[in-house]
Amino acid sequence: MSGSGAASYVWRGAFSNTEVNGLHAQAFETKVYSDEDWDWRRLTDRHSLGWVTARVDEMLVGFVNIAWDGYVHAWLQDLMVEVAARKKGVGQRLVAEGAEGARSAGCEWLHVDFEPALERFYVKKCGFRPTTAGLMQL
Ligand SMILES: CC(C)(COP(=O)(O)OP(=O)(O)OC[C@H]1O[C@@H](n2cnc3c(N)ncnc32)[C@H](O)[C@@H]1OP(=O)(O)O)[C@@H](O)C(=O)NCCC(=O)NCCS
């Protein structure tokens, strides 16, 4: 565990589905999915290289999921920070810890896609290189 300001960040840190579903609903302005609808623990156990939790006084204030191809590519998904904890560097630190976790596992590339409004965050603040990419709805 390591501290940055008031928050503590843990690679593959413990979390409950209820915590992440609550954070997800707030961050992405969705309904609160039930633990049966959206089983984050099962999802991360089966499909993630890792994830990072951010906590302030034990409360989950941020989360990011890192998926991978089992080799050298990792993908950043589901980055979320509680509204009250935003603009304090929590998002940047979650990305940095996720990148370090992927690097330590032998990954060479971390991918992310995002809406234009978040370009400043990902490129200027987090250090991603702008690139072209494709997306297909299935
Ligand atoms: C995007 C998000 C994770 C950023 O978390 P954060 O802890 O506030 O970010 P940080 O404090 O580390 O970085 C702040 C910088 O990021 C940018 N930024 C942060 N949130 C932003 C937003 N919602 N829209 C545009 N830029 C944003 C700003 O450039 C800001 O720096 P500035 O104040 O100097 O301009 C957070 O706003 C969030 O959870 N949003 C909803 C979910 C989401 O969109 N996730 C990303 C999916 S790709």
Side-chain angles (χ1 to χ4, degrees):
M1 186 186 295
S2 52
S4 169
S8 297
Y9 301 82
V10 183
W11 172 249
R12 298 180 72 92
F15 65 86
S16 71
N17 285 329
T18 306
E19 284 181 308
V20 178
N21 278 320
L23 186 58
H24 181 276
Q26 195 195 76
F28 291 100
E29 298 179 359
T30 65
K31 72 170 191 174
V32 181
Y33 288 93
S34 74
D35 295 355
E36 291 72 38
D37 282 342
W38 210 327
D39 186 341
W40 289 90
R41 288 171 56 109
R42 182 167 170 271
L43 184 151
T44 50
D45 276 352
R46 290 193 174 190
H47 302 289
S48 297
L49 171 62
W51 58 90
V52 183
T53 55
R55 291 185 183 275
V56 173
D57 297 333
E58 307 300 318
M59 197 177 105
L60 189 74
V61 299
F63 182 88
V64 68
N65 188 16
I66 307 290
W68 72 324
D69 68 350
Y71 190 40
V72 295
H73 292 272
W75 282 264
L76 189 150
Q77 293 287 329
D78 303 311
L79 174 64
M80 40 185 136
V81 174
E82 183 197 41
V83 172
R86 287 184 191 169
K87 305 269 184 179
K88 296 172 185 166
V90 175
Q92 288 168 72
R93 185 66 187 273
L94 283 165
V95 172
E97 295 285 340
E100 184 51 37
R103 192 179 293 115
S104 297
C107 289
E108 295 174 10
W109 297 100
L110 181 62
H111 304 250
V112 68
D113 63 82
F114 47 83
E115 307 262 324
L118 286 174
E119 181 165 0
R120 180 177 156 81
F121 173 72
Y122 281 114
V123 176
K124 290 267 190 287
K125 298 280 178 165
C126 296
F128 280 90
R129 184 188 303 173
T131 183
T132 51
L135 184 65
M136 184 185 291
Q137 184 164 18
L138 303 176

PDB file of all heavy atoms in Angstrom, residues 93-122:
ATOM      1  N   ARG A  93      -3.424   9.109 -10.203  1.00  0.00           N
ATOM      2  CA  ARG A  93      -2.689   8.112  -9.420  1.00  0.00           C
ATOM      3  C   ARG A  93      -3.201   6.698  -9.685  1.00  0.00           C
ATOM      4  O   ARG A  93      -2.421   5.743  -9.739  1.00  0.00           O
ATOM      5  CB  ARG A  93      -2.799   8.477  -7.936  1.00  0.00           C
ATOM      6  CG  ARG A  93      -2.000   7.600  -7.022  1.00  0.00           C
ATOM      7  CD  ARG A  93      -0.485   7.738  -7.218  1.00  0.00           C
ATOM      8  NE  ARG A  93       0.197   6.747  -6.408  1.00  0.00           N
ATOM      9  CZ  ARG A  93       0.538   6.946  -5.146  1.00  0.00           C
ATOM     10  NH1 ARG A  93       0.309   8.109  -4.559  1.00  0.00           N
ATOM     11  NH2 ARG A  93       1.141   5.991  -4.450  1.00  0.00           N
ATOM     12  N   LEU A  94      -4.514   6.559  -9.870  1.00  0.00           N
ATOM     13  CA  LEU A  94      -5.063   5.237 -10.224  1.00  0.00           C
ATOM     14  C   LEU A  94      -4.476   4.752 -11.541  1.00  0.00           C
ATOM     15  O   LEU A  94      -4.102   3.583 -11.683  1.00  0.00           O
ATOM     16  CB  LEU A  94      -6.594   5.309 -10.322  1.00  0.00           C
ATOM     17  CG  LEU A  94      -7.357   5.337  -8.999  1.00  0.00           C
ATOM     18  CD1 LEU A  94      -8.798   5.774  -9.239  1.00  0.00           C
ATOM     19  CD2 LEU A  94      -7.323   3.975  -8.315  1.00  0.00           C
ATOM     20  N   VAL A  95      -4.389   5.655 -12.515  1.00  0.00           N
ATOM     21  CA  VAL A  95      -3.804   5.298 -13.815  1.00  0.00           C
ATOM     22  C   VAL A  95      -2.333   4.914 -13.639  1.00  0.00           C
ATOM     23  O   VAL A  95      -1.867   3.893 -14.180  1.00  0.00           O
ATOM     24  CB  VAL A  95      -3.953   6.453 -14.825  1.00  0.00           C
ATOM     25  CG1 VAL A  95      -3.172   6.163 -16.105  1.00  0.00           C
ATOM     26  CG2 VAL A  95      -5.428   6.698 -15.146  1.00  0.00           C
ATOM     27  N   ALA A  96      -1.586   5.698 -12.864  1.00  0.00           N
ATOM     28  CA  ALA A  96      -0.159   5.415 -12.657  1.00  0.00           C
ATOM     29  C   ALA A  96       0.048   4.068 -11.967  1.00  0.00           C
ATOM     30  O   ALA A  96       0.929   3.289 -12.337  1.00  0.00           O
ATOM     31  CB  ALA A  96       0.481   6.541 -11.842  1.00  0.00           C
ATOM     32  N   GLU A  97      -0.783   3.783 -10.967  1.00  0.00           N
ATOM     33  CA  GLU A  97      -0.643   2.493 -10.249  1.00  0.00           C
ATOM     34  C   GLU A  97      -1.048   1.332 -11.155  1.00  0.00           C
ATOM     35  O   GLU A  97      -0.440   0.260 -11.103  1.00  0.00           O
ATOM     36  CB  GLU A  97      -1.506   2.501  -8.981  1.00  0.00           C
ATOM     37  CG  GLU A  97      -1.077   3.524  -7.941  1.00  0.00           C
ATOM     38  CD  GLU A  97       0.175   3.120  -7.178  1.00  0.00           C
ATOM     39  OE1 GLU A  97       0.511   1.921  -7.151  1.00  0.00           O
ATOM     40  OE2 GLU A  97       0.825   4.020  -6.602  1.00  0.00           O
ATOM     41  N   GLY A  98      -2.080   1.535 -11.987  1.00  0.00           N
ATOM     42  CA  GLY A  98      -2.493   0.494 -12.928  1.00  0.00           C
ATOM     43  C   GLY A  98      -1.397   0.239 -13.950  1.00  0.00           C
ATOM     44  O   GLY A  98      -1.104  -0.909 -14.301  1.00  0.00           O
ATOM     45  N   ALA A  99      -0.764   1.315 -14.437  1.00  0.00           N
ATOM     46  CA  ALA A  99       0.334   1.180 -15.401  1.00  0.00           C
ATOM     47  C   ALA A  99       1.504   0.438 -14.761  1.00  0.00           C
ATOM     48  O   ALA A  99       2.117  -0.434 -15.387  1.00  0.00           O
ATOM     49  CB  ALA A  99       0.779   2.563 -15.883  1.00  0.00           C
ATOM     50  N   GLU A 100       1.806   0.750 -13.532  1.00  0.00           N
ATOM     51  CA  GLU A 100       2.917   0.082 -12.845  1.00  0.00           C
ATOM     52  C   GLU A 100       2.610  -1.401 -12.623  1.00  0.00           C
ATOM     53  O   GLU A 100       3.492  -2.258 -12.788  1.00  0.00           O
ATOM     54  CB  GLU A 100       3.206   0.787 -11.505  1.00  0.00           C
ATOM     55  CG  GLU A 100       4.388   0.244 -10.757  1.00  0.00           C
ATOM     56  CD  GLU A 100       5.665   0.133 -11.606  1.00  0.00           C
ATOM     57  OE1 GLU A 100       5.917   1.012 -12.453  1.00  0.00           O
ATOM     58  OE2 GLU A 100       6.392  -0.871 -11.439  1.00  0.00           O
ATOM     59  N   GLY A 101       1.363  -1.708 -12.283  1.00  0.00           N
ATOM     60  CA  GLY A 101       0.969  -3.112 -12.116  1.00  0.00           C
ATOM     61  C   GLY A 101       1.129  -3.876 -13.416  1.00  0.00           C
ATOM     62  O   GLY A 101       1.633  -5.010 -13.430  1.00  0.00           O
ATOM     63  N   ALA A 102       0.722  -3.264 -14.521  1.00  0.00           N
ATOM     64  CA  ALA A 102       0.832  -3.919 -15.828  1.00  0.00           C
ATOM     65  C   ALA A 102       2.303  -4.063 -16.235  1.00  0.00           C
ATOM     66  O   ALA A 102       2.721  -5.105 -16.742  1.00  0.00           O
ATOM     67  CB  ALA A 102       0.061  -3.120 -16.882  1.00  0.00           C
ATOM     68  N   ARG A 103       3.084  -3.021 -15.987  1.00  0.00           N
ATOM     69  CA  ARG A 103       4.521  -3.076 -16.310  1.00  0.00           C
ATOM     70  C   ARG A 103       5.195  -4.191 -15.512  1.00  0.00           C
ATOM     71  O   ARG A 103       5.976  -4.986 -16.045  1.00  0.00           O
ATOM     72  CB  ARG A 103       5.162  -1.720 -15.969  1.00  0.00           C
ATOM     73  CG  ARG A 103       6.556  -1.537 -16.508  1.00  0.00           C
ATOM     74  CD  ARG A 103       7.110  -0.171 -16.146  1.00  0.00           C
ATOM     75  NE  ARG A 103       6.422   0.926 -16.795  1.00  0.00           N
ATOM     76  CZ  ARG A 103       5.704   1.854 -16.186  1.00  0.00           C
ATOM     77  NH1 ARG A 103       5.570   1.853 -14.872  1.00  0.00           N
ATOM     78  NH2 ARG A 103       5.103   2.811 -16.866  1.00  0.00           N
ATOM     79  N   SER A 104       4.871  -4.279 -14.248  1.00  0.00           N
ATOM     80  CA  SER A 104       5.478  -5.306 -13.386  1.00  0.00           C
ATOM     81  C   SER A 104       5.103  -6.710 -13.832  1.00  0.00           C
ATOM     82  O   SER A 104       5.843  -7.663 -13.584  1.00  0.00           O
ATOM     83  CB  SER A 104       5.038  -5.117 -11.932  1.00  0.00           C
ATOM     84  OG  SER A 104       5.487  -3.890 -11.460  1.00  0.00           O
ATOM     85  N   ALA A 105       3.948  -6.851 -14.485  1.00  0.00           N
ATOM     86  CA  ALA A 105       3.510  -8.170 -14.968  1.00  0.00           C
ATOM     87  C   ALA A 105       4.109  -8.491 -16.340  1.00  0.00           C
ATOM     88  O   ALA A 105       3.798  -9.529 -16.916  1.00  0.00           O
ATOM     89  CB  ALA A 105       1.983  -8.211 -15.039  1.00  0.00           C
ATOM     90  N   GLY A 106       4.926  -7.585 -16.872  1.00  0.00           N
ATOM     91  CA  GLY A 106       5.596  -7.843 -18.142  1.00  0.00           C
ATOM     92  C   GLY A 106       4.922  -7.205 -19.344  1.00  0.00           C
ATOM     93  O   GLY A 106       5.370  -7.405 -20.481  1.00  0.00           O
ATOM     94  N   CYS A 107       3.872  -6.431 -19.107  1.00  0.00           N
ATOM     95  CA  CYS A 107       3.213  -5.768 -20.238  1.00  0.00           C
ATOM     96  C   CYS A 107       4.101  -4.639 -20.768  1.00  0.00           C
ATOM     97  O   CYS A 107       4.839  -4.004 -20.016  1.00  0.00           O
ATOM     98  CB  CYS A 107       1.857  -5.205 -19.817  1.00  0.00           C
ATOM     99  SG  CYS A 107       0.646  -6.509 -19.534  1.00  0.00           S
ATOM    100  N   GLU A 108       3.971  -4.407 -22.075  1.00  0.00           N
ATOM    101  CA  GLU A 108       4.766  -3.351 -22.712  1.00  0.00           C
ATOM    102  C   GLU A 108       3.904  -2.185 -23.186  1.00  0.00           C
ATOM    103  O   GLU A 108       4.427  -1.113 -23.486  1.00  0.00           O
ATOM    104  CB  GLU A 108       5.543  -3.942 -23.904  1.00  0.00           C
ATOM    105  CG  GLU A 108       6.573  -4.969 -23.450  1.00  0.00           C
ATOM    106  CD  GLU A 108       7.270  -5.680 -24.599  1.00  0.00           C
ATOM    107  OE1 GLU A 108       7.112  -5.262 -25.772  1.00  0.00           O
ATOM    108  OE2 GLU A 108       7.976  -6.667 -24.324  1.00  0.00           O
ATOM    109  N   TRP A 109       2.588  -2.424 -23.286  1.00  0.00           N
ATOM    110  CA  TRP A 109       1.701  -1.374 -23.786  1.00  0.00           C
ATOM    111  C   TRP A 109       0.432  -1.327 -22.947  1.00  0.00           C
ATOM    112  O   TRP A 109      -0.148  -2.369 -22.613  1.00  0.00           O
ATOM    113  CB  TRP A 109       1.320  -1.644 -25.250  1.00  0.00           C
ATOM    114  CG  TRP A 109       2.514  -1.616 -26.156  1.00  0.00           C
ATOM    115  CD1 TRP A 109       3.186  -2.694 -26.644  1.00  0.00           C
ATOM    116  CD2 TRP A 109       3.195  -0.454 -26.653  1.00  0.00           C
ATOM    117  NE1 TRP A 109       4.241  -2.273 -27.414  1.00  0.00           N
ATOM    118  CE2 TRP A 109       4.269  -0.909 -27.441  1.00  0.00           C
ATOM    119  CE3 TRP A 109       2.994   0.920 -26.498  1.00  0.00           C
ATOM    120  CZ2 TRP A 109       5.148  -0.033 -28.080  1.00  0.00           C
ATOM    121  CZ3 TRP A 109       3.865   1.794 -27.137  1.00  0.00           C
ATOM    122  CH2 TRP A 109       4.919   1.317 -27.912  1.00  0.00           C
ATOM    123  N   LEU A 110       0.016  -0.088 -22.641  1.00  0.00           N
ATOM    124  CA  LEU A 110      -1.258   0.121 -21.951  1.00  0.00           C
ATOM    125  C   LEU A 110      -2.162   0.943 -22.874  1.00  0.00           C
ATOM    126  O   LEU A 110      -1.777   2.030 -23.316  1.00  0.00           O
ATOM    127  CB  LEU A 110      -1.045   0.865 -20.622  1.00  0.00           C
ATOM    128  CG  LEU A 110      -2.299   1.128 -19.790  1.00  0.00           C
ATOM    129  CD1 LEU A 110      -2.973  -0.177 -19.369  1.00  0.00           C
ATOM    130  CD2 LEU A 110      -1.945   1.955 -18.552  1.00  0.00           C
ATOM    131  N   HIS A 111      -3.321   0.413 -23.200  1.00  0.00           N
ATOM    132  CA  HIS A 111      -4.259   1.062 -24.118  1.00  0.00           C
ATOM    133  C   HIS A 111      -5.416   1.681 -23.332  1.00  0.00           C
ATOM    134  O   HIS A 111      -5.815   1.158 -22.299  1.00  0.00           O
ATOM    135  CB  HIS A 111      -4.874   0.038 -25.078  1.00  0.00           C
ATOM    136  CG  HIS A 111      -3.880  -0.754 -25.869  1.00  0.00           C
ATOM    137  ND1 HIS A 111      -3.716  -0.590 -27.217  1.00  0.00           N
ATOM    138  CD2 HIS A 111      -2.996  -1.721 -25.500  1.00  0.00           C
ATOM    139  CE1 HIS A 111      -2.791  -1.420 -27.657  1.00  0.00           C
ATOM    140  NE2 HIS A 111      -2.329  -2.128 -26.636  1.00  0.00           N
ATOM    141  N   VAL A 112      -5.951   2.747 -23.898  1.00  0.00           N
ATOM    142  CA  VAL A 112      -7.191   3.311 -23.351  1.00  0.00           C
ATOM    143  C   VAL A 112      -7.927   4.027 -24.486  1.00  0.00           C
ATOM    144  O   VAL A 112      -7.286   4.524 -25.419  1.00  0.00           O
ATOM    145  CB  VAL A 112      -6.917   4.291 -22.180  1.00  0.00           C
ATOM    146  CG1 VAL A 112      -6.215   5.572 -22.644  1.00  0.00           C
ATOM    147  CG2 VAL A 112      -8.210   4.643 -21.443  1.00  0.00           C
ATOM    148  N   ASP A 113      -9.235   4.016 -24.461  1.00  0.00           N
ATOM    149  CA  ASP A 113      -9.970   4.897 -25.365  1.00  0.00           C
ATOM    150  C   ASP A 113     -10.905   5.750 -24.530  1.00  0.00           C
ATOM    151  O   ASP A 113     -11.276   5.375 -23.418  1.00  0.00           O
ATOM    152  CB  ASP A 113     -10.714   4.118 -26.461  1.00  0.00           C
ATOM    153  CG  ASP A 113     -11.766   3.217 -25.896  1.00  0.00           C
ATOM    154  OD1 ASP A 113     -12.863   3.708 -25.605  1.00  0.00           O
ATOM    155  OD2 ASP A 113     -11.481   2.005 -25.726  1.00  0.00           O
ATOM    156  N   PHE A 114     -11.234   6.914 -25.071  1.00  0.00           N
ATOM    157  CA  PHE A 114     -11.976   7.887 -24.248  1.00  0.00           C
ATOM    158  C   PHE A 114     -12.674   8.905 -25.125  1.00  0.00           C
ATOM    159  O   PHE A 114     -12.347   9.060 -26.307  1.00  0.00           O
ATOM    160  CB  PHE A 114     -11.012   8.606 -23.280  1.00  0.00           C
ATOM    161  CG  PHE A 114      -9.756   9.106 -23.941  1.00  0.00           C
ATOM    162  CD1 PHE A 114      -9.740  10.317 -24.611  1.00  0.00           C
ATOM    163  CD2 PHE A 114      -8.589   8.362 -23.898  1.00  0.00           C
ATOM    164  CE1 PHE A 114      -8.592  10.786 -25.234  1.00  0.00           C
ATOM    165  CE2 PHE A 114      -7.428   8.818 -24.520  1.00  0.00           C
ATOM    166  CZ  PHE A 114      -7.424  10.027 -25.179  1.00  0.00           C
ATOM    167  N   GLU A 115     -13.610   9.598 -24.522  1.00  0.00           N
ATOM    168  CA  GLU A 115     -14.335  10.680 -25.193  1.00  0.00           C
ATOM    169  C   GLU A 115     -13.397  11.891 -25.318  1.00  0.00           C
ATOM    170  O   GLU A 115     -12.493  12.066 -24.488  1.00  0.00           O
ATOM    171  CB  GLU A 115     -15.539  11.100 -24.344  1.00  0.00           C
ATOM    172  CG  GLU A 115     -16.447   9.954 -23.962  1.00  0.00           C
ATOM    173  CD  GLU A 115     -17.649   9.843 -24.879  1.00  0.00           C
ATOM    174  OE1 GLU A 115     -18.144  10.900 -25.293  1.00  0.00           O
ATOM    175  OE2 GLU A 115     -18.060   8.712 -25.161  1.00  0.00           O
ATOM    176  N   PRO A 116     -13.640  12.756 -26.342  1.00  0.00           N
ATOM    177  CA  PRO A 116     -12.764  13.917 -26.546  1.00  0.00           C
ATOM    178  C   PRO A 116     -12.583  14.788 -25.285  1.00  0.00           C
ATOM    179  O   PRO A 116     -11.494  15.319 -25.061  1.00  0.00           O
ATOM    180  CB  PRO A 116     -13.466  14.707 -27.650  1.00  0.00           C
ATOM    181  CG  PRO A 116     -14.240  13.684 -28.413  1.00  0.00           C
ATOM    182  CD  PRO A 116     -14.663  12.642 -27.400  1.00  0.00           C
ATOM    183  N   ALA A 117     -13.608  14.896 -24.459  1.00  0.00           N
ATOM    184  CA  ALA A 117     -13.510  15.758 -23.265  1.00  0.00           C
ATOM    185  C   ALA A 117     -12.437  15.286 -22.293  1.00  0.00           C
ATOM    186  O   ALA A 117     -11.946  16.064 -21.478  1.00  0.00           O
ATOM    187  CB  ALA A 117     -14.861  15.815 -22.555  1.00  0.00           C
ATOM    188  N   LEU A 118     -12.067  14.016 -22.388  1.00  0.00           N
ATOM    189  CA  LEU A 118     -11.079  13.484 -21.444  1.00  0.00           C
ATOM    190  C   LEU A 118      -9.670  13.438 -22.024  1.00  0.00           C
ATOM    191  O   LEU A 118      -8.761  12.895 -21.401  1.00  0.00           O
ATOM    192  CB  LEU A 118     -11.500  12.091 -20.959  1.00  0.00           C
ATOM    193  CG  LEU A 118     -12.657  12.104 -19.953  1.00  0.00           C
ATOM    194  CD1 LEU A 118     -13.113  10.691 -19.648  1.00  0.00           C
ATOM    195  CD2 LEU A 118     -12.257  12.823 -18.661  1.00  0.00           C
ATOM    196  N   GLU A 119      -9.470  14.055 -23.194  1.00  0.00           N
ATOM    197  CA  GLU A 119      -8.139  14.013 -23.808  1.00  0.00           C
ATOM    198  C   GLU A 119      -7.094  14.695 -22.921  1.00  0.00           C
ATOM    199  O   GLU A 119      -5.987  14.183 -22.741  1.00  0.00           O
ATOM    200  CB  GLU A 119      -8.163  14.668 -25.193  1.00  0.00           C
ATOM    201  CG  GLU A 119      -6.791  14.611 -25.843  1.00  0.00           C
ATOM    202  CD  GLU A 119      -6.812  14.895 -27.329  1.00  0.00           C
ATOM    203  OE1 GLU A 119      -7.903  15.149 -27.880  1.00  0.00           O
ATOM    204  OE2 GLU A 119      -5.729  14.873 -27.928  1.00  0.00           O
ATOM    205  N   ARG A 120      -7.464  15.832 -22.352  1.00  0.00           N
ATOM    206  CA  ARG A 120      -6.524  16.539 -21.481  1.00  0.00           C
ATOM    207  C   ARG A 120      -6.108  15.641 -20.313  1.00  0.00           C
ATOM    208  O   ARG A 120      -4.934  15.567 -19.953  1.00  0.00           O
ATOM    209  CB  ARG A 120      -7.155  17.833 -20.979  1.00  0.00           C
ATOM    210  CG  ARG A 120      -6.278  18.645 -20.064  1.00  0.00           C
ATOM    211  CD  ARG A 120      -6.968  19.962 -19.684  1.00  0.00           C
ATOM    212  NE  ARG A 120      -6.448  20.483 -18.434  1.00  0.00           N
ATOM    213  CZ  ARG A 120      -5.313  21.166 -18.333  1.00  0.00           C
ATOM    214  NH1 ARG A 120      -4.588  21.406 -19.402  1.00  0.00           N
ATOM    215  NH2 ARG A 120      -4.890  21.605 -17.167  1.00  0.00           N
ATOM    216  N   PHE A 121      -7.082  14.982 -19.725  1.00  0.00           N
ATOM    217  CA  PHE A 121      -6.793  14.098 -18.581  1.00  0.00           C
ATOM    218  C   PHE A 121      -5.830  12.982 -18.990  1.00  0.00           C
ATOM    219  O   PHE A 121      -4.775  12.801 -18.382  1.00  0.00           O
ATOM    220  CB  PHE A 121      -8.094  13.511 -18.020  1.00  0.00           C
ATOM    221  CG  PHE A 121      -7.861  12.475 -16.957  1.00  0.00           C
ATOM    222  CD1 PHE A 121      -7.413  12.835 -15.693  1.00  0.00           C
ATOM    223  CD2 PHE A 121      -8.055  11.122 -17.225  1.00  0.00           C
ATOM    224  CE1 PHE A 121      -7.179  11.874 -14.717  1.00  0.00           C
ATOM    225  CE2 PHE A 121      -7.827  10.156 -16.259  1.00  0.00           C
ATOM    226  CZ  PHE A 121      -7.388  10.532 -14.994  1.00  0.00           C
ATOM    227  N   TYR A 122      -6.178  12.228 -20.032  1.00  0.00           N
ATOM    228  CA  TYR A 122      -5.376  11.053 -20.375  1.00  0.00           C
ATOM    229  C   TYR A 122      -4.035  11.405 -21.022  1.00  0.00           C
ATOM    230  O   TYR A 122      -3.029  10.752 -20.748  1.00  0.00           O
ATOM    231  CB  TYR A 122      -6.174  10.122 -21.299  1.00  0.00           C
ATOM    232  CG  TYR A 122      -7.178   9.281 -20.546  1.00  0.00           C
ATOM    233  CD1 TYR A 122      -8.548   9.445 -20.733  1.00  0.00           C
ATOM    234  CD2 TYR A 122      -6.755   8.312 -19.646  1.00  0.00           C
ATOM    235  CE1 TYR A 122      -9.467   8.665 -20.041  1.00  0.00           C
ATOM    236  CE2 TYR A 122      -7.664   7.528 -18.951  1.00  0.00           C
ATOM    237  CZ  TYR A 122      -9.015   7.709 -19.155  1.00  0.00           C
ATOM    238  OH  TYR A 122      -9.922   6.939 -18.460  1.00  0.00           O
TER     239      TYR A 122
END
